[in-house]
Amino acid sequence: MTRETDDKRNFALREKSGEETSVFTGKMPRQAALKAARKLDPSDSEDAAPREEFRLRERGTHKLHIYEGWAWREDAPDDSPEWMPETVTEANVSKQEIEHLEEL
């Protein structure tokens, strides 16, 4: 099966219990992981941000993408639009591994 270049994929945030609580969309797993990381409790700086592990299951597959993510607060850019808040949440992720689930 080939994918179109503009196809979006859905990734479900999976808890340790196996419950899937949220869904994030992206062309690549990392894009969805960055969206998930922005939902973490942000720290005051990137260096002080605690790393948290989270798991994203690609919908329609048995692949479980495991990431370490962190989030922090940063001042908005000087050229930001008026509607943007003064501080924004930034995030970063690091892929740890991919697991293949036996069953869903």
Side-chain angles (χ1 to χ4, degrees):
M1 178 170 104
T2 60
R3 285 192 211 284
E4 300 264 342
T5 56
D6 61 341
D7 278 350
K8 301 268 182 177
R9 294 152 51 185
N10 293 316
F11 299 88
L13 183 62
R14 190 174 174 99
E15 302 296 330
K16 296 264 186 204
S17 65
E19 179 185 2
E20 295 180 351
T21 56
S22 301
V23 176
F24 298 94
T25 303
K27 290 181 183 180
M28 302 294 286
R30 186 173 191 278
Q31 188 178 23
L34 285 167
K35 291 177 183 181
R38 278 189 203 93
K39 300 296 181 188
L40 298 173
D41 187 28
S43 182
D44 291 334
S45 71
E46 182 176 10
D47 295 332
R51 275 47 173 175
E52 294 183 36
E53 182 182 277
F54 58 92
R55 300 160 176 265
L56 295 171
R57 182 183 66 81
E58 185 173 352
R59 289 253 172 112
T61 71
H62 293 268
K63 288 183 183 179
L64 189 63
H65 301 268
I66 301 172
Y67 282 91
E68 183 180 73
W70 58 99
W72 67 94
R73 291 258 185 224
E74 215 170 77
D75 291 335
D78 293 334
D79 62 348
S80 63
E82 289 182 22
W83 54 264
M84 186 178 279
E86 291 180 18
T87 59
V88 293
T89 302
E90 296 284 342
N92 203 354
V93 294
S94 174
K95 190 161 202 169
Q96 303 301 305
E97 63 180 303
I98 296 177
E99 286 182 8
H100 294 277
L101 301 173
E102 296 296 320
E103 58 185 66
L104 296 178

